[in-house]
Amino acid sequence: MSEQRSGGAQGRAADGSAADPEGGGGQRESGPAMTKKRLAALGGRIARGALVGLVAGGAGLAVGELVAVATGEASSPVVAAGDWAISITPTWLEQFAIRNFGSNDKSVLLGGVYATLAVGAAADGVLARSRLTTASFLTAAFGVVGAIAAVTRPAAHTNWLLPSLLAGLVAALVLRRLTTLSLRESAPSAESSERRRFVLGTLGTAAGALVAGYGGDAWIKARYNVSAARAKVVLPTPKAVLPEPPASVHPNVAGLRSFFTPNSEFYRVDTALTLPQVDPDDWKLTIHGMVDRPFEITFDELLSYAFEEHDMTLTCVSNPVGGPYMGNARWLGTPLAPLLRRAGVHSGADMILSTSTDGMTIGSPVEAVLDGREAMLAIAMNGEALPVKHGFPCRMLIPGLYGYVSATKWLTDLHLTTFASSDAYWTPRGYSPEAPVKTASRIDVPASGATVPAGTVVLAGTAWATHRGIAAVEVRIDNGAWREATLATSDTPDTWRQWSYQWVDAPKGSHAVKVRATDGTGAVQTSAVQGVVPNGATGYHGITVRVS
Ligand SMILES: Nc1nc2c(c(=O)[nH]1)N[C@H]1C(S)=C(S)[C@@H](COP(=O)(O)O)O[C@H]1N2
Ligand SMILES: [Mo]
């Protein structure tokens, strides 16, 4: 490709350098003074180029955002790039992000996307001063890459190409225009009118981009917001009212979390950079694949099924020993087994591959749904319609299995298939296709590292072996014997069980405390230390506490 060093149409050297090198006129000066002047001129060119590149990139993104008002938030260039980055994130990095950023990982990722784009745009702007055509093509190519990222997302429509393509095109056009103005402005012969045009052109474009970008973003958030639709959902009355569990499910120790986790405090784990906004009026669920009678139901039809309440603890395979990624809630849902029976599952089908509106795929054993446990399609959590971040309007739940193999949020499709022929999202990323929740326990009170007064020290926490239940919890102080803790009343085997222990005459000094649980089958929690990958961490949770 021939480099267009000087824009013919512009009638002037690309950066004025051919006609009169910037810093020219310095011939009569010598040595350090000249070098200094040259450096200053170079700095000025780089700064102007970077500024022009950033403004051009910003203008492109703003246009992309406006186009995404029509095509949907997930098609906007930054979100599409971010979603694509998530999909190629290697498991070790995903684990690192969960450990270090927790639920802020999405903001960190978006920040990273913006930073990458900004560096690229600024560099492109500098390049444009000497290689305008190349730089324009590069900018447009950024748009093409964004468009490919968008259209290859699992839930994409063809029109997801548009925001990034148009963003790239607009950015390239703005880059050409502002670079031309800038080169004229920085030529030694520049007139003040040329300065003014550059400054006004750049400021005007930047201001327009900010207004369009923020405006487009706000417009998207308003247009696709389902909170009004969520507020209108009338929850069906359950077949039988589930009584509140007795107060004794909680050991009544100050500082110990409540038995039910409030929705606002419930952990959130998913790959959705922007929350799917699914209107119940548009929602439907398809059950198909290895079945005799595939069918589809709307949200209203779903509501005509029998609903039940069930208390269940949900936990993430990525929860490290002692970690926070778990919560306990009262769910309202319709049992999943009757829906599978209605479809008539073929005997060879051993996997339900469920899909969400954002294209997540989760594989669950058919057997776990049909063996009598309370697997359900849930629509409410702790008495209110599912919060958007927890899967509104409908999610799947199967007691006893980690979330990544059971708890599909924004559920829309159930495909009956086999583990041998289908992979769910996390399987090629190193996680086991099947993953029952491992027996685990945690010390919540006192906090690790805390100082407590001597005398009787109360230890308390929670233990879970979802669906098997908890039969015992023991604590060990320093290297002493394991001592039986007092279990709070069990709600159901599907919920966690809280516990407490009165440590009488705790001696002064620093102590290590460990906890372990025994599940309902009599199996003692393993002490073997294993990381999260491939199917859940094991090992005993311990704290240190200073008695003074
Ligand atoms: N659509 C969708 N559903 C999903 C996920 C996801 O990434 N996308 N993550 C799963 C995982 S790994 C877990 S642990 C649970 C977490 O549910 P919560 O965010 O409501 O606590 O949702 C599951 N369902
Ligand atoms: Mo998870």
Side-chain angles (χ1 to χ4, degrees):
M1 190 178 80
S2 76
E3 250 328 298
Q4 238 186 319
R5 262 216 124 210
S6 53
Q10 293 152 236
R12 162 189 295 265
D15 64 357
S17 58
D20 184 359
E22 289 177 273
Q27 263 98 328
R28 259 159 281 130
E29 290 176 44
S30 61
M34 200 175 84
T35 315
K36 229 174 152 186
K37 222 171 161 184
R38 282 217 171 126
L39 277 179
L42 179 68
R45 288 203 297 276
I46 290 178
R48 280 177 177 76
L51 174 68
V52 163
L54 285 173
V55 171
L61 289 185
V63 166
E65 204 64 20
L66 283 179
V67 178
V69 172
T71 54
E73 187 170 26
S75 66
S76 95
V78 172
V79 176
D83 280 335
W84 169 77
I86 289 175
S87 76
I88 59 160
T89 298
T91 301
W92 63 264
L93 185 56
E94 174 245 351
Q95 283 302 313
F96 175 85
I98 287 216
R99 267 199 315 277
N100 292 280
F101 310 129
S103 7
N104 292 325
D105 57 349
K106 311 263 172 0
S107 323
V108 172
L109 178 81
L110 277 182
V113 172
Y114 275 114
T116 308
L117 288 175
V119 170
D124 211 38
V126 174
L127 178 71
R129 299 180 75 84
S130 55
R131 303 262 193 278
L132 186 55
T133 305
T134 305
S136 313
F137 274 118
L138 272 179
T139 305
F142 251 94
V144 172
V145 170
I148 292 172
V151 84
T152 53
R153 292 313 84 227
H157 297 272
T158 325
N159 66 14
W160 285 25
L161 286 166
L162 291 177
S164 293
L165 284 182
L166 289 169
L169 188 67
V170 167
L173 293 174
V174 171
L175 181 70
R176 293 188 79 81
R177 180 68 193 147
L178 292 183
T179 300
T180 307
L181 292 182
S182 176
L183 292 175
R184 286 185 193 153
E185 179 268 349
S186 47
S189 59
E191 287 163 21
S192 63
S193 66
E194 290 178 314
R195 298 242 140 90
R196 210 173 327 116
R197 282 176 72 188
F198 169 64
V199 172
L200 290 182
T202 308
L203 283 181
T205 312
L210 283 176
V211 171
Y214 280 101
D217 191 51
W219 191 355
I220 287 175
K221 298 232 152 71
R223 175 164 178 199
Y224 296 100
N225 193 306
V226 291
S227 46
R230 179 172 172 268
K232 277 199 306 219
V233 170
V234 180
L235 297 177
T237 317
K239 219 166 51 185
V241 178
L242 189 64
E244 276 297 304
S248 56
V249 292
H250 190 269
N252 199 18
V253 168
L256 181 63
R257 67 202 62 224
S258 53
F259 178 72
F260 286 118
T261 313
N263 290 355
S264 59
E265 288 167 29
F266 207 94
Y267 83 99
R268 171 188 169 201
V269 169
D270 55 57
T271 58
L273 196 47
T274 55
L275 284 174
Q277 303 282 330
V278 186
D279 191 318
D281 284 343
D282 304 328
W283 183 86
K284 62 180 173 23
L285 175 71
T286 310
I287 304 189
H288 64 117
M290 296 172 67
V291 297
D292 294 330
R293 300 169 294 275
F295 65 93
E296 219 177 75
I297 49 173
T298 64
F299 196 68
D300 279 342
E301 284 162 2
L302 183 76
L303 293 188
S304 70
Y305 279 76
F307 273 75
E308 289 174 6
E309 282 184 309
H310 188 56
D311 299 342
M312 190 194 117
T313 296
L314 182 61
T315 180
C316 182
V317 69
S318 292
N319 194 39
V321 170
Y325 301 118
M326 56 181 324
N328 184 45
R330 173 158 290 188
W331 310 89
L332 174 70
T334 189
L336 185 47
L339 285 154
L340 292 192
R341 283 193 211 98
R342 176 178 160 189
V345 178
H346 294 173
S347 60
D350 61 1
M351 179 207 226
I352 305 173
L353 187 66
S354 53
T355 307
S356 64
T357 56
D358 61 330
M360 167 55 64
T361 52
I362 282 180
S364 318
V366 170
E367 150 114 60
V369 174
L370 297 180
D371 72 1
R373 74 182 82 185
E374 306 194 47
M376 57 161 64
L377 301 185
I379 62 164
M381 177 178 183
N382 291 326
E384 51 170 299
L386 286 178
V388 171
K389 64 176 166 180
H390 296 295
F392 179 77
C394 180
R395 79 179 300 170
M396 200 161 108
L397 291 174
I398 306 176
L401 307 182
Y402 285 117
Y404 84 104
V405 287
S406 65
T408 320
K409 306 191 271 190
W410 315 291
L411 177 71
T412 186
D413 190 280
L414 297 176
H415 180 201
L416 275 295
T417 174
T418 63
F419 279 98
S421 66
S422 301
D423 268 347
Y425 182 87
W426 287 109
T427 309
R429 290 169 173 82
Y431 288 86
S432 303
E434 300 196 49
V437 174
K438 296 177 179 176
T439 304
S441 49
R442 191 176 65 194
I443 304 167
D444 292 324
V445 177
S448 190
T451 301
V452 295
T456 298
V457 173
V458 180
L459 307 170
T462 183
W464 60 98
T466 332
H467 198 54
R468 299 183 301 283
I470 290 294
V473 169
E474 296 160 287
V475 296
R476 185 167 75 169
I477 291 146
D478 299 323
N479 284 321
W482 286 101
R483 302 188 231 173
E484 196 93 8
T486 307
L487 291 177
T489 303
S490 162
D491 180 10
T492 82
D494 296 341
T495 53
W496 61 24
R497 194 157 181 189
Q498 292 178 303
W499 58 267
S500 60
Y501 179 79
Q502 305 259 339
W503 178 13
V504 184
D505 293 333
K508 288 190 176 172
S510 183
H511 302 281
V513 184
K514 277 189 160 38
V515 64
R516 73 176 184 192
T518 301
D519 75 8
T521 73
V524 179
Q525 181 183 340
T526 177
S527 61
V529 175
Q530 196 208 286
V532 155
V533 184
N535 50 26
T538 60
Y540 295 160
H541 182 222
I543 61 165
T544 55
V545 54
R546 169 163 292 282
V547 177
S548 68

XYZ file of all heavy atoms in Angstrom, residues 266-272 314-317 331 356 358 360 362 381 389-390 395 402-404 407-410 426, ligand 1:
272
model
N -27.079 -10.303 48.981
C -26.824 -11.607 48.370
C -25.694 -11.476 47.353
O -25.672 -10.551 46.552
C -28.104 -12.098 47.686
C -28.199 -13.592 47.602
C -28.869 -14.312 48.589
C -27.621 -14.283 46.550
C -28.965 -15.700 48.520
C -27.711 -15.674 46.479
C -28.386 -16.378 47.466
N -24.765 -12.406 47.384
C -23.629 -12.331 46.454
C -24.126 -12.407 45.014
O -25.183 -12.939 44.728
C -22.626 -13.452 46.746
C -22.964 -14.795 46.127
C -22.356 -15.208 44.944
C -23.905 -15.646 46.701
C -22.657 -16.435 44.365
C -24.211 -16.867 46.131
C -23.599 -17.260 44.960
O -23.915 -18.466 44.387
N -23.326 -11.853 44.137
C -23.666 -11.927 42.712
C -22.451 -12.435 41.956
O -21.359 -11.872 42.096
C -24.061 -10.556 42.182
C -24.210 -10.544 40.676
C -24.418 -9.154 40.098
N -24.272 -9.236 38.646
C -23.992 -8.192 37.863
N -23.870 -6.995 38.372
N -23.857 -8.361 36.573
N -22.627 -13.478 41.167
C -21.557 -13.948 40.294
C -22.147 -14.260 38.937
O -23.081 -15.058 38.819
C -20.860 -15.212 40.859
C -19.942 -15.822 39.800
C -20.034 -14.888 42.090
N -21.666 -13.601 37.906
C -22.055 -13.930 36.537
C -21.092 -13.253 35.574
O -20.238 -12.471 35.985
C -23.505 -13.513 36.246
C -23.746 -12.044 36.544
O -23.035 -11.208 35.962
O -24.619 -11.738 37.377
N -21.252 -13.573 34.293
C -20.356 -13.013 33.283
C -20.981 -11.804 32.593
O -20.471 -11.346 31.579
C -20.055 -14.069 32.203
O -21.311 -14.473 31.629
C -19.352 -15.288 32.764
N -22.113 -11.314 33.118
C -22.825 -10.235 32.425
C -22.223 -8.878 32.766
O -22.293 -8.424 33.899
C -24.302 -10.260 32.794
N -27.524 -20.966 48.173
C -26.863 -21.017 46.870
C -25.390 -20.673 47.079
O -25.066 -19.756 47.838
C -27.517 -20.009 45.926
C -26.990 -19.934 44.494
C -27.165 -21.262 43.764
C -27.700 -18.820 43.732
N -24.525 -21.428 46.441
C -23.110 -21.141 46.600
C -22.353 -21.316 45.297
O -22.769 -22.056 44.419
C -22.493 -21.982 47.742
O -21.112 -21.678 47.860
C -22.639 -23.455 47.483
N -21.261 -20.586 45.210
C -20.489 -20.535 43.963
C -19.278 -21.448 44.073
O -18.612 -21.480 45.105
C -20.033 -19.104 43.701
S -19.124 -18.910 42.157
N -18.990 -22.134 42.990
C -17.817 -23.004 42.952
C -16.539 -22.178 43.192
O -15.538 -22.700 43.683
C -17.753 -23.762 41.604
C -17.436 -22.802 40.452
C -16.748 -24.887 41.646
N -37.072 -19.024 48.259
C -37.368 -18.876 46.834
C -38.806 -19.278 46.560
O -39.325 -20.209 47.195
C -36.438 -19.746 45.998
C -34.983 -19.598 46.335
C -34.278 -20.304 47.282
C -34.048 -18.676 45.756
N -32.964 -19.878 47.312
C -32.797 -18.886 46.387
C -34.145 -17.700 44.751
C -31.655 -18.154 46.052
C -33.012 -16.977 44.416
C -31.781 -17.210 45.071
N -29.267 -18.686 29.000
C -29.858 -17.434 29.454
C -29.989 -16.487 28.276
O -29.414 -16.730 27.207
C -28.963 -16.808 30.516
O -27.719 -16.482 29.926
N -28.553 -13.841 27.864
C -27.255 -13.299 27.459
C -26.305 -14.387 26.973
O -25.123 -14.145 26.795
C -26.617 -12.480 28.601
C -26.351 -13.314 29.848
O -27.106 -14.275 30.096
O -25.397 -13.014 30.569
N -25.314 -17.322 28.319
C -24.611 -18.239 29.230
C -25.212 -19.635 29.055
O -26.419 -19.767 28.850
C -24.790 -17.750 30.665
C -24.403 -18.736 31.771
S -22.724 -19.397 31.670
C -21.719 -17.946 31.882
N -25.392 -23.516 30.879
C -25.159 -24.235 32.121
C -25.682 -25.656 31.947
O -26.797 -25.851 31.458
C -25.859 -23.486 33.281
C -24.998 -22.271 33.676
C -26.140 -24.408 34.469
C -25.526 -21.431 34.794
N -37.604 -14.171 45.320
C -36.519 -14.389 46.270
C -36.822 -13.545 47.503
O -37.023 -12.325 47.376
C -35.240 -13.915 45.562
C -33.980 -13.958 46.324
S -32.677 -13.374 45.170
C -31.249 -13.578 46.219
N -30.461 -8.433 39.012
C -29.134 -9.054 39.032
C -29.164 -10.507 39.479
O -28.167 -11.210 39.363
C -28.149 -8.234 39.854
C -28.458 -8.103 41.304
C -27.319 -7.330 41.959
C -27.700 -6.850 43.333
N -26.633 -6.122 43.957
N -30.290 -10.948 39.999
C -30.398 -12.365 40.362
C -31.276 -13.147 39.397
O -31.751 -14.230 39.717
C -30.864 -12.501 41.809
C -29.866 -11.943 42.785
N -28.608 -12.485 42.948
C -29.901 -10.856 43.588
C -27.931 -11.771 43.836
N -28.687 -10.770 44.236
N -35.262 -17.837 36.961
C -33.991 -18.534 37.017
C -34.214 -19.975 37.449
O -35.241 -20.315 38.032
C -33.039 -17.851 37.995
C -33.336 -18.193 39.460
C -32.378 -17.546 40.426
N -30.994 -17.960 40.175
C -29.947 -17.389 40.749
N -30.126 -16.401 41.611
N -28.732 -17.804 40.494
N -23.478 -26.621 42.704
C -22.946 -25.259 42.613
C -23.717 -24.474 41.548
O -24.272 -25.051 40.608
C -21.455 -25.287 42.244
C -20.560 -25.694 43.401
C -19.792 -26.853 43.334
C -20.483 -24.914 44.555
C -18.963 -27.232 44.390
C -19.654 -25.283 45.616
C -18.910 -26.443 45.530
O -18.095 -26.806 46.578
N -23.681 -23.151 41.696
C -24.443 -22.279 40.801
C -24.113 -22.462 39.328
O -24.992 -22.371 38.477
N -22.843 -22.731 39.015
C -22.468 -22.780 37.593
C -22.984 -24.038 36.895
O -22.857 -24.145 35.675
C -20.942 -22.665 37.432
C -20.159 -23.960 37.573
C -19.645 -24.615 36.459
C -19.933 -24.526 38.822
C -18.924 -25.800 36.577
C -19.218 -25.704 38.960
C -18.720 -26.333 37.831
O -18.008 -27.502 37.957
N -27.874 -22.916 38.383
C -28.651 -21.750 38.814
C -28.802 -20.673 37.739
O -28.736 -19.480 38.012
C -28.012 -21.157 40.064
N -29.028 -21.099 36.514
C -29.129 -20.193 35.364
C -30.064 -19.008 35.599
O -31.253 -19.190 35.842
C -29.613 -20.982 34.133
O -28.970 -22.239 34.143
C -29.325 -20.217 32.852
N -29.509 -17.817 35.524
C -30.309 -16.606 35.667
C -30.776 -16.167 34.274
O -30.197 -16.544 33.275
C -29.465 -15.495 36.302
C -28.831 -15.930 37.636
C -28.234 -14.768 38.384
C -26.794 -14.498 38.018
N -26.178 -13.509 38.940
N -31.831 -15.346 34.218
C -32.383 -14.854 32.935
C -32.604 -16.038 31.978
O -32.344 -15.973 30.780
C -31.459 -13.803 32.303
C -30.987 -12.792 33.301
C -31.749 -11.840 33.912
C -29.662 -12.654 33.848
N -30.983 -11.118 34.800
C -29.694 -11.601 34.775
C -28.453 -13.319 33.635
C -28.557 -11.193 35.491
C -27.337 -12.919 34.355
C -27.392 -11.870 35.259
N -18.580 -23.251 31.162
C -17.393 -23.365 32.007
C -16.581 -24.636 31.776
O -15.459 -24.746 32.264
C -17.774 -23.245 33.490
C -18.119 -21.833 33.854
C -19.362 -21.342 34.157
C -17.227 -20.715 33.917
N -19.296 -19.997 34.397
C -17.998 -19.583 34.260
C -15.851 -20.558 33.703
C -17.435 -18.309 34.397
C -15.302 -19.291 33.852
C -16.096 -18.194 34.196
N -27.089 -16.189 32.997
C -26.194 -16.541 33.940
N -26.597 -17.302 34.978
C -25.723 -17.660 35.940
C -24.370 -17.283 35.854
C -23.961 -16.485 34.741
O -22.792 -16.115 34.593
N -24.912 -16.138 33.812
N -23.485 -17.649 36.847
C -23.840 -18.800 37.662
C -23.009 -18.894 38.834
S -21.390 -19.299 38.574
C -23.501 -18.737 40.101
S -22.550 -19.093 41.451
C -24.883 -18.258 40.330
C -24.877 -17.033 41.205
O -26.177 -16.548 41.378
P -26.406 -15.142 42.081
O -25.620 -14.127 41.312
O -27.878 -14.888 42.051
O -25.891 -15.262 43.485
O -25.542 -17.934 39.120
C -25.309 -18.824 38.065
N -26.146 -18.430 36.962
